[in-house]
Amino acid sequence: MTALAKFGVAQQNSEVKRSVHVLLTRCLDDVDDEVRDRAALNLRLMDEDDELANKFVRNGTNMVLYCAR
């Protein structure tokens, strides 16, 4: 998930970004909770401003997601 998001955020080509967006959107239907959570977070970051995406995706900050079960 993170590698795919990094690739999508780093691209200047809008067609490549759109393709990455489609792939992450498809991951929202995965059976694994963590995959769905990471896909949703990365989609949100890709849609946000560049500063937020740079902070969490491009710079390699490790994002840890905790889910209440």
Side-chain angles (χ1 to χ4, degrees), residues 24-51:
L24 287 172
T25 301
R26 289 181 182 171
C27 291
L28 294 174
D29 293 329
D30 197 274
V31 296
D32 190 322
D33 291 344
E34 187 172 353
V35 171
R36 289 192 310 265
D37 290 344
R38 288 182 183 270
L41 177 63
N42 285 315
L43 280 168
R44 182 77 183 260
L45 288 173
M46 283 181 63
D47 291 339
E48 294 292 325
D49 62 358
D50 285 336
E51 183 180 332

PDB file of all heavy atoms in Angstrom, residues 24-51:
ATOM      1  N   LEU A  24      -5.790   1.747  -5.633  1.00  0.00           N
ATOM      2  CA  LEU A  24      -6.048   1.896  -4.197  1.00  0.00           C
ATOM      3  C   LEU A  24      -7.544   1.794  -3.897  1.00  0.00           C
ATOM      4  O   LEU A  24      -7.934   1.232  -2.876  1.00  0.00           O
ATOM      5  CB  LEU A  24      -5.486   3.226  -3.691  1.00  0.00           C
ATOM      6  CG  LEU A  24      -3.976   3.301  -3.573  1.00  0.00           C
ATOM      7  CD1 LEU A  24      -3.531   4.726  -3.239  1.00  0.00           C
ATOM      8  CD2 LEU A  24      -3.456   2.330  -2.529  1.00  0.00           C
ATOM      9  N   THR A  25      -8.367   2.322  -4.783  1.00  0.00           N
ATOM     10  CA  THR A  25      -9.813   2.230  -4.596  1.00  0.00           C
ATOM     11  C   THR A  25     -10.263   0.774  -4.615  1.00  0.00           C
ATOM     12  O   THR A  25     -11.122   0.367  -3.828  1.00  0.00           O
ATOM     13  CB  THR A  25     -10.550   3.035  -5.681  1.00  0.00           C
ATOM     14  OG1 THR A  25     -10.121   4.398  -5.604  1.00  0.00           O
ATOM     15  CG2 THR A  25     -12.050   2.968  -5.499  1.00  0.00           C
ATOM     16  N   ARG A  26      -9.689  -0.017  -5.480  1.00  0.00           N
ATOM     17  CA  ARG A  26     -10.026  -1.446  -5.529  1.00  0.00           C
ATOM     18  C   ARG A  26      -9.610  -2.167  -4.256  1.00  0.00           C
ATOM     19  O   ARG A  26     -10.225  -3.155  -3.863  1.00  0.00           O
ATOM     20  CB  ARG A  26      -9.380  -2.100  -6.739  1.00  0.00           C
ATOM     21  CG  ARG A  26     -10.024  -1.658  -8.028  1.00  0.00           C
ATOM     22  CD  ARG A  26      -9.402  -2.317  -9.218  1.00  0.00           C
ATOM     23  NE  ARG A  26     -10.024  -1.836 -10.451  1.00  0.00           N
ATOM     24  CZ  ARG A  26      -9.579  -2.109 -11.646  1.00  0.00           C
ATOM     25  NH1 ARG A  26      -8.516  -2.871 -11.811  1.00  0.00           N
ATOM     26  NH2 ARG A  26     -10.191  -1.632 -12.704  1.00  0.00           N
ATOM     27  N   CYS A  27      -8.573  -1.681  -3.609  1.00  0.00           N
ATOM     28  CA  CYS A  27      -8.114  -2.290  -2.352  1.00  0.00           C
ATOM     29  C   CYS A  27      -9.097  -2.053  -1.213  1.00  0.00           C
ATOM     30  O   CYS A  27      -9.023  -2.717  -0.175  1.00  0.00           O
ATOM     31  CB  CYS A  27      -6.738  -1.758  -1.971  1.00  0.00           C
ATOM     32  SG  CYS A  27      -5.437  -2.311  -3.075  1.00  0.00           S
ATOM     33  N   LEU A  28     -10.008  -1.104  -1.378  1.00  0.00           N
ATOM     34  CA  LEU A  28     -11.008  -0.844  -0.341  1.00  0.00           C
ATOM     35  C   LEU A  28     -11.972  -2.018  -0.164  1.00  0.00           C
ATOM     36  O   LEU A  28     -12.667  -2.101   0.841  1.00  0.00           O
ATOM     37  CB  LEU A  28     -11.800   0.429  -0.670  1.00  0.00           C
ATOM     38  CG  LEU A  28     -11.011   1.725  -0.653  1.00  0.00           C
ATOM     39  CD1 LEU A  28     -11.883   2.880  -1.134  1.00  0.00           C
ATOM     40  CD2 LEU A  28     -10.443   2.013   0.733  1.00  0.00           C
ATOM     41  N   ASP A  29     -11.993  -2.928  -1.130  1.00  0.00           N
ATOM     42  CA  ASP A  29     -12.861  -4.107  -1.056  1.00  0.00           C
ATOM     43  C   ASP A  29     -12.121  -5.353  -0.569  1.00  0.00           C
ATOM     44  O   ASP A  29     -12.691  -6.447  -0.585  1.00  0.00           O
ATOM     45  CB  ASP A  29     -13.465  -4.395  -2.437  1.00  0.00           C
ATOM     46  CG  ASP A  29     -14.419  -3.317  -2.880  1.00  0.00           C
ATOM     47  OD1 ASP A  29     -15.065  -2.692  -2.012  1.00  0.00           O
ATOM     48  OD2 ASP A  29     -14.524  -3.093  -4.102  1.00  0.00           O
ATOM     49  N   ASP A  30     -10.881  -5.206  -0.146  1.00  0.00           N
ATOM     50  CA  ASP A  30     -10.082  -6.338   0.306  1.00  0.00           C
ATOM     51  C   ASP A  30     -10.690  -6.947   1.567  1.00  0.00           C
ATOM     52  O   ASP A  30     -11.360  -6.266   2.346  1.00  0.00           O
ATOM     53  CB  ASP A  30      -8.643  -5.880   0.591  1.00  0.00           C
ATOM     54  CG  ASP A  30      -7.685  -7.043   0.665  1.00  0.00           C
ATOM     55  OD1 ASP A  30      -7.543  -7.635   1.755  1.00  0.00           O
ATOM     56  OD2 ASP A  30      -7.082  -7.359  -0.376  1.00  0.00           O
ATOM     57  N   VAL A  31     -10.443  -8.232   1.778  1.00  0.00           N
ATOM     58  CA  VAL A  31     -10.969  -8.912   2.966  1.00  0.00           C
ATOM     59  C   VAL A  31     -10.199  -8.545   4.234  1.00  0.00           C
ATOM     60  O   VAL A  31     -10.724  -8.689   5.338  1.00  0.00           O
ATOM     61  CB  VAL A  31     -10.965 -10.456   2.780  1.00  0.00           C
ATOM     62  CG1 VAL A  31     -11.909 -10.860   1.663  1.00  0.00           C
ATOM     63  CG2 VAL A  31      -9.573 -10.974   2.519  1.00  0.00           C
ATOM     64  N   ASP A  32      -8.987  -8.071   4.091  1.00  0.00           N
ATOM     65  CA  ASP A  32      -8.142  -7.736   5.236  1.00  0.00           C
ATOM     66  C   ASP A  32      -8.416  -6.303   5.700  1.00  0.00           C
ATOM     67  O   ASP A  32      -8.350  -5.358   4.922  1.00  0.00           O
ATOM     68  CB  ASP A  32      -6.671  -7.889   4.839  1.00  0.00           C
ATOM     69  CG  ASP A  32      -5.730  -7.801   6.016  1.00  0.00           C
ATOM     70  OD1 ASP A  32      -5.976  -6.984   6.928  1.00  0.00           O
ATOM     71  OD2 ASP A  32      -4.731  -8.535   6.026  1.00  0.00           O
ATOM     72  N   ASP A  33      -8.699  -6.153   7.000  1.00  0.00           N
ATOM     73  CA  ASP A  33      -8.982  -4.830   7.567  1.00  0.00           C
ATOM     74  C   ASP A  33      -7.832  -3.853   7.373  1.00  0.00           C
ATOM     75  O   ASP A  33      -8.041  -2.690   7.046  1.00  0.00           O
ATOM     76  CB  ASP A  33      -9.248  -4.924   9.075  1.00  0.00           C
ATOM     77  CG  ASP A  33     -10.542  -5.619   9.409  1.00  0.00           C
ATOM     78  OD1 ASP A  33     -11.382  -5.754   8.499  1.00  0.00           O
ATOM     79  OD2 ASP A  33     -10.713  -6.021  10.571  1.00  0.00           O
ATOM     80  N   GLU A  34      -6.614  -4.327   7.600  1.00  0.00           N
ATOM     81  CA  GLU A  34      -5.455  -3.438   7.510  1.00  0.00           C
ATOM     82  C   GLU A  34      -5.246  -2.935   6.084  1.00  0.00           C
ATOM     83  O   GLU A  34      -4.914  -1.773   5.869  1.00  0.00           O
ATOM     84  CB  GLU A  34      -4.191  -4.138   8.010  1.00  0.00           C
ATOM     85  CG  GLU A  34      -3.020  -3.189   8.074  1.00  0.00           C
ATOM     86  CD  GLU A  34      -1.800  -3.788   8.740  1.00  0.00           C
ATOM     87  OE1 GLU A  34      -1.870  -4.892   9.282  1.00  0.00           O
ATOM     88  OE2 GLU A  34      -0.758  -3.106   8.701  1.00  0.00           O
ATOM     89  N   VAL A  35      -5.459  -3.799   5.112  1.00  0.00           N
ATOM     90  CA  VAL A  35      -5.329  -3.389   3.713  1.00  0.00           C
ATOM     91  C   VAL A  35      -6.347  -2.302   3.396  1.00  0.00           C
ATOM     92  O   VAL A  35      -6.026  -1.278   2.790  1.00  0.00           O
ATOM     93  CB  VAL A  35      -5.497  -4.594   2.763  1.00  0.00           C
ATOM     94  CG1 VAL A  35      -5.581  -4.154   1.317  1.00  0.00           C
ATOM     95  CG2 VAL A  35      -4.346  -5.572   2.947  1.00  0.00           C
ATOM     96  N   ARG A  36      -7.583  -2.510   3.825  1.00  0.00           N
ATOM     97  CA  ARG A  36      -8.623  -1.506   3.582  1.00  0.00           C
ATOM     98  C   ARG A  36      -8.305  -0.190   4.272  1.00  0.00           C
ATOM     99  O   ARG A  36      -8.454   0.889   3.685  1.00  0.00           O
ATOM    100  CB  ARG A  36      -9.982  -2.013   4.059  1.00  0.00           C
ATOM    101  CG  ARG A  36     -10.556  -3.119   3.210  1.00  0.00           C
ATOM    102  CD  ARG A  36     -12.009  -3.386   3.545  1.00  0.00           C
ATOM    103  NE  ARG A  36     -12.272  -3.555   4.969  1.00  0.00           N
ATOM    104  CZ  ARG A  36     -12.323  -4.725   5.589  1.00  0.00           C
ATOM    105  NH1 ARG A  36     -12.126  -5.845   4.914  1.00  0.00           N
ATOM    106  NH2 ARG A  36     -12.610  -4.774   6.874  1.00  0.00           N
ATOM    107  N   ASP A  37      -7.842  -0.257   5.532  1.00  0.00           N
ATOM    108  CA  ASP A  37      -7.512   0.961   6.276  1.00  0.00           C
ATOM    109  C   ASP A  37      -6.369   1.727   5.625  1.00  0.00           C
ATOM    110  O   ASP A  37      -6.417   2.951   5.490  1.00  0.00           O
ATOM    111  CB  ASP A  37      -7.144   0.631   7.723  1.00  0.00           C
ATOM    112  CG  ASP A  37      -8.334   0.157   8.533  1.00  0.00           C
ATOM    113  OD1 ASP A  37      -9.485   0.356   8.083  1.00  0.00           O
ATOM    114  OD2 ASP A  37      -8.111  -0.411   9.615  1.00  0.00           O
ATOM    115  N   ARG A  38      -5.329   1.012   5.233  1.00  0.00           N
ATOM    116  CA  ARG A  38      -4.185   1.676   4.593  1.00  0.00           C
ATOM    117  C   ARG A  38      -4.559   2.260   3.232  1.00  0.00           C
ATOM    118  O   ARG A  38      -4.105   3.344   2.871  1.00  0.00           O
ATOM    119  CB  ARG A  38      -3.008   0.718   4.469  1.00  0.00           C
ATOM    120  CG  ARG A  38      -2.357   0.424   5.802  1.00  0.00           C
ATOM    121  CD  ARG A  38      -1.156  -0.492   5.636  1.00  0.00           C
ATOM    122  NE  ARG A  38      -0.593  -0.818   6.919  1.00  0.00           N
ATOM    123  CZ  ARG A  38       0.356  -0.118   7.529  1.00  0.00           C
ATOM    124  NH1 ARG A  38       0.854   0.947   6.960  1.00  0.00           N
ATOM    125  NH2 ARG A  38       0.805  -0.491   8.697  1.00  0.00           N
ATOM    126  N   ALA A  39      -5.382   1.546   2.495  1.00  0.00           N
ATOM    127  CA  ALA A  39      -5.828   2.058   1.199  1.00  0.00           C
ATOM    128  C   ALA A  39      -6.630   3.340   1.394  1.00  0.00           C
ATOM    129  O   ALA A  39      -6.420   4.331   0.688  1.00  0.00           O
ATOM    130  CB  ALA A  39      -6.658   1.011   0.464  1.00  0.00           C
ATOM    131  N   ALA A  40      -7.542   3.345   2.359  1.00  0.00           N
ATOM    132  CA  ALA A  40      -8.364   4.531   2.621  1.00  0.00           C
ATOM    133  C   ALA A  40      -7.501   5.713   3.054  1.00  0.00           C
ATOM    134  O   ALA A  40      -7.699   6.842   2.587  1.00  0.00           O
ATOM    135  CB  ALA A  40      -9.404   4.215   3.691  1.00  0.00           C
ATOM    136  N   LEU A  41      -6.544   5.449   3.933  1.00  0.00           N
ATOM    137  CA  LEU A  41      -5.665   6.522   4.396  1.00  0.00           C
ATOM    138  C   LEU A  41      -4.835   7.084   3.249  1.00  0.00           C
ATOM    139  O   LEU A  41      -4.732   8.304   3.072  1.00  0.00           O
ATOM    140  CB  LEU A  41      -4.741   6.005   5.504  1.00  0.00           C
ATOM    141  CG  LEU A  41      -3.717   7.009   6.025  1.00  0.00           C
ATOM    142  CD1 LEU A  41      -4.412   8.196   6.666  1.00  0.00           C
ATOM    143  CD2 LEU A  41      -2.783   6.339   7.008  1.00  0.00           C
ATOM    144  N   ASN A  42      -4.265   6.213   2.451  1.00  0.00           N
ATOM    145  CA  ASN A  42      -3.433   6.675   1.334  1.00  0.00           C
ATOM    146  C   ASN A  42      -4.256   7.393   0.270  1.00  0.00           C
ATOM    147  O   ASN A  42      -3.778   8.370  -0.321  1.00  0.00           O
ATOM    148  CB  ASN A  42      -2.649   5.516   0.736  1.00  0.00           C
ATOM    149  CG  ASN A  42      -1.501   5.112   1.627  1.00  0.00           C
ATOM    150  OD1 ASN A  42      -0.769   5.957   2.124  1.00  0.00           O
ATOM    151  ND2 ASN A  42      -1.330   3.827   1.857  1.00  0.00           N
ATOM    152  N   LEU A  43      -5.475   6.967   0.026  1.00  0.00           N
ATOM    153  CA  LEU A  43      -6.345   7.694  -0.901  1.00  0.00           C
ATOM    154  C   LEU A  43      -6.624   9.092  -0.376  1.00  0.00           C
ATOM    155  O   LEU A  43      -6.592  10.072  -1.119  1.00  0.00           O
ATOM    156  CB  LEU A  43      -7.663   6.943  -1.100  1.00  0.00           C
ATOM    157  CG  LEU A  43      -7.627   5.786  -2.069  1.00  0.00           C
ATOM    158  CD1 LEU A  43      -8.898   4.954  -1.957  1.00  0.00           C
ATOM    159  CD2 LEU A  43      -7.441   6.290  -3.488  1.00  0.00           C
ATOM    160  N   ARG A  44      -6.877   9.172   0.902  1.00  0.00           N
ATOM    161  CA  ARG A  44      -7.145  10.489   1.516  1.00  0.00           C
ATOM    162  C   ARG A  44      -5.933  11.393   1.404  1.00  0.00           C
ATOM    163  O   ARG A  44      -6.040  12.573   1.074  1.00  0.00           O
ATOM    164  CB  ARG A  44      -7.540  10.282   2.970  1.00  0.00           C
ATOM    165  CG  ARG A  44      -7.881  11.509   3.731  1.00  0.00           C
ATOM    166  CD  ARG A  44      -9.282  11.974   3.352  1.00  0.00           C
ATOM    167  NE  ARG A  44      -9.624  13.192   4.025  1.00  0.00           N
ATOM    168  CZ  ARG A  44     -10.378  13.261   5.109  1.00  0.00           C
ATOM    169  NH1 ARG A  44     -10.884  12.177   5.633  1.00  0.00           N
ATOM    170  NH2 ARG A  44     -10.636  14.417   5.657  1.00  0.00           N
ATOM    171  N   LEU A  45      -4.754  10.839   1.663  1.00  0.00           N
ATOM    172  CA  LEU A  45      -3.527  11.639   1.580  1.00  0.00           C
ATOM    173  C   LEU A  45      -3.248  12.075   0.147  1.00  0.00           C
ATOM    174  O   LEU A  45      -2.776  13.193  -0.081  1.00  0.00           O
ATOM    175  CB  LEU A  45      -2.340  10.847   2.130  1.00  0.00           C
ATOM    176  CG  LEU A  45      -2.332  10.656   3.635  1.00  0.00           C
ATOM    177  CD1 LEU A  45      -1.213   9.707   4.039  1.00  0.00           C
ATOM    178  CD2 LEU A  45      -2.187  11.989   4.353  1.00  0.00           C
ATOM    179  N   MET A  46      -3.536  11.209  -0.815  1.00  0.00           N
ATOM    180  CA  MET A  46      -3.316  11.584  -2.207  1.00  0.00           C
ATOM    181  C   MET A  46      -4.255  12.712  -2.630  1.00  0.00           C
ATOM    182  O   MET A  46      -3.913  13.520  -3.482  1.00  0.00           O
ATOM    183  CB  MET A  46      -3.530  10.381  -3.130  1.00  0.00           C
ATOM    184  CG  MET A  46      -2.376   9.412  -3.128  1.00  0.00           C
ATOM    185  SD  MET A  46      -2.652   8.021  -4.237  1.00  0.00           S
ATOM    186  CE  MET A  46      -2.739   8.843  -5.824  1.00  0.00           C
ATOM    187  N   ASP A  47      -5.441  12.780  -2.022  1.00  0.00           N
ATOM    188  CA  ASP A  47      -6.410  13.811  -2.366  1.00  0.00           C
ATOM    189  C   ASP A  47      -6.161  15.125  -1.630  1.00  0.00           C
ATOM    190  O   ASP A  47      -6.720  16.148  -1.992  1.00  0.00           O
ATOM    191  CB  ASP A  47      -7.830  13.326  -2.067  1.00  0.00           C
ATOM    192  CG  ASP A  47      -8.257  12.212  -3.008  1.00  0.00           C
ATOM    193  OD1 ASP A  47      -7.660  12.091  -4.097  1.00  0.00           O
ATOM    194  OD2 ASP A  47      -9.180  11.461  -2.652  1.00  0.00           O
ATOM    195  N   GLU A  48      -5.346  15.076  -0.581  1.00  0.00           N
ATOM    196  CA  GLU A  48      -5.051  16.275   0.193  1.00  0.00           C
ATOM    197  C   GLU A  48      -3.987  17.120  -0.500  1.00  0.00           C
ATOM    198  O   GLU A  48      -3.475  16.757  -1.542  1.00  0.00           O
ATOM    199  CB  GLU A  48      -4.558  15.889   1.597  1.00  0.00           C
ATOM    200  CG  GLU A  48      -5.613  15.222   2.445  1.00  0.00           C
ATOM    201  CD  GLU A  48      -6.740  16.153   2.838  1.00  0.00           C
ATOM    202  OE1 GLU A  48      -6.476  17.345   3.070  1.00  0.00           O
ATOM    203  OE2 GLU A  48      -7.883  15.675   2.904  1.00  0.00           O
ATOM    204  N   ASP A  49      -3.632  18.206   0.150  1.00  0.00           N
ATOM    205  CA  ASP A  49      -2.606  19.089  -0.414  1.00  0.00           C
ATOM    206  C   ASP A  49      -1.242  18.416  -0.408  1.00  0.00           C
ATOM    207  O   ASP A  49      -1.021  17.433   0.279  1.00  0.00           O
ATOM    208  CB  ASP A  49      -2.559  20.413   0.342  1.00  0.00           C
ATOM    209  CG  ASP A  49      -2.187  20.248   1.814  1.00  0.00           C
ATOM    210  OD1 ASP A  49      -2.001  19.103   2.260  1.00  0.00           O
ATOM    211  OD2 ASP A  49      -2.072  21.265   2.508  1.00  0.00           O
ATOM    212  N   ASP A  50      -0.335  18.950  -1.182  1.00  0.00           N
ATOM    213  CA  ASP A  50       0.981  18.343  -1.340  1.00  0.00           C
ATOM    214  C   ASP A  50       1.780  18.293  -0.050  1.00  0.00           C
ATOM    215  O   ASP A  50       2.553  17.373   0.164  1.00  0.00           O
ATOM    216  CB  ASP A  50       1.788  19.087  -2.405  1.00  0.00           C
ATOM    217  CG  ASP A  50       1.313  18.758  -3.801  1.00  0.00           C
ATOM    218  OD1 ASP A  50       0.725  17.682  -3.985  1.00  0.00           O
ATOM    219  OD2 ASP A  50       1.536  19.575  -4.703  1.00  0.00           O
ATOM    220  N   GLU A  51       1.600  19.266   0.834  1.00  0.00           N
ATOM    221  CA  GLU A  51       2.381  19.290   2.071  1.00  0.00           C
ATOM    222  C   GLU A  51       2.072  18.073   2.936  1.00  0.00           C
ATOM    223  O   GLU A  51       2.967  17.425   3.464  1.00  0.00           O
ATOM    224  CB  GLU A  51       2.089  20.569   2.853  1.00  0.00           C
ATOM    225  CG  GLU A  51       2.923  20.688   4.112  1.00  0.00           C
ATOM    226  CD  GLU A  51       2.614  21.961   4.865  1.00  0.00           C
ATOM    227  OE1 GLU A  51       2.202  22.954   4.247  1.00  0.00           O
ATOM    228  OE2 GLU A  51       2.804  21.947   6.091  1.00  0.00           O
TER     229      GLU A  51
END
